[in-house]
Amino acid sequence: MATTYEPISTTTLGSAASSITFSSISSAYTDLKLVMTYTSAGAIYSYLLFNNDTGANYSDTYLVGDGSVAFSGSDTSQGFIAFGSYQSPASSTAPCFATADVFSYAGSTYKTALITSSNDKNGSGDVERIVGLWRSTSAINRIDIKSSSTAFAAGTTATLYGIKSA
């Protein structure tokens, strides 16, 4: 069986940073998958930008559960798509594992992303699912992962995969 996921680039932070950028993304794949594991010195929320677009061109719908309560909601006309823990931010003792599947990223229609995250708070973390939309017909050639106010800690790892046509 042929390999479907091809690693494009991996970044491991040697020191704290407020963003990670994947640029010059080839259009040779059908979809992209972003995988990230991170912590920070303080509470952190993370988000995605495509092609460095900070305009109100993003929206998302989310579902969050923590074992006792579940809730959902949506955001429209945002300057980003939420990525990672929406309810319980990652911290130095609560790592977050997040993935984003970006479908038809090189196509000429609006771009959708399915984001999943898990956050371990020593038994009281949460899991989240976010469906994001970027209202642009431009091919995605750059993805920025940004932090809210606290930087991603050293040791944070992010890998971008290209998914070949099956």
Side-chain angles (χ1 to χ4, degrees):
M1 176 179 225
T3 303
T4 303
Y5 287 63
E6 183 175 297
I8 296 172
S9 182
T10 297
T11 297
T12 301
L13 297 179
S15 59
S18 60
S19 66
I20 295 172
T21 299
F22 295 100
S23 59
S24 301
I25 299 170
S26 166
S27 61
Y29 306 98
T30 57
D31 305 298
L32 298 173
K33 183 167 191 88
L34 178 61
V35 178
M36 185 170 173
T37 303
Y38 63 95
T39 59
S40 72
I44 187 173
Y45 295 95
S46 58
Y47 57 94
L48 298 176
L49 296 176
F50 298 134
N51 294 356
N52 206 28
D53 178 6
T54 59
N57 299 313
Y58 303 89
S59 57
D60 60 45
T61 301
Y62 55 89
L63 175 64
V64 180
D66 67 6
S68 351
V69 73
F71 66 92
S72 62
S74 62
D75 300 302
T76 59
S77 300
Q78 299 292 304
F80 58 85
I81 294 177
F83 178 66
S85 193
Y86 211 88
Q87 171 67 17
S88 299
S91 67
S92 61
T93 59
C96 184
F97 175 76
T99 67
D101 291 285
V102 183
F103 306 105
S104 299
Y105 74 101
S108 59
T109 60
Y110 288 174
K111 310 306 183 278
T112 56
L114 174 61
I115 296 151
T116 62
S117 70
S118 303
N119 192 346
D120 180 15
K121 294 224 180 228
N122 297 320
S124 64
D126 65 17
V127 294
E128 303 174 19
R129 300 299 176 261
I130 302 168
V131 176
L133 176 70
W134 181 44
R135 290 182 305 280
S136 174
T137 58
S138 298
I140 295 172
N141 57 28
R142 175 181 170 147
I143 298 175
D144 291 285
I145 309 164
K146 304 261 187 177
S147 65
S148 53
S149 57
T150 306
F152 299 115
T156 291
T157 301
T159 301
L160 180 65
Y161 296 91
I163 300 176
K164 296 178 183 177
S165 179

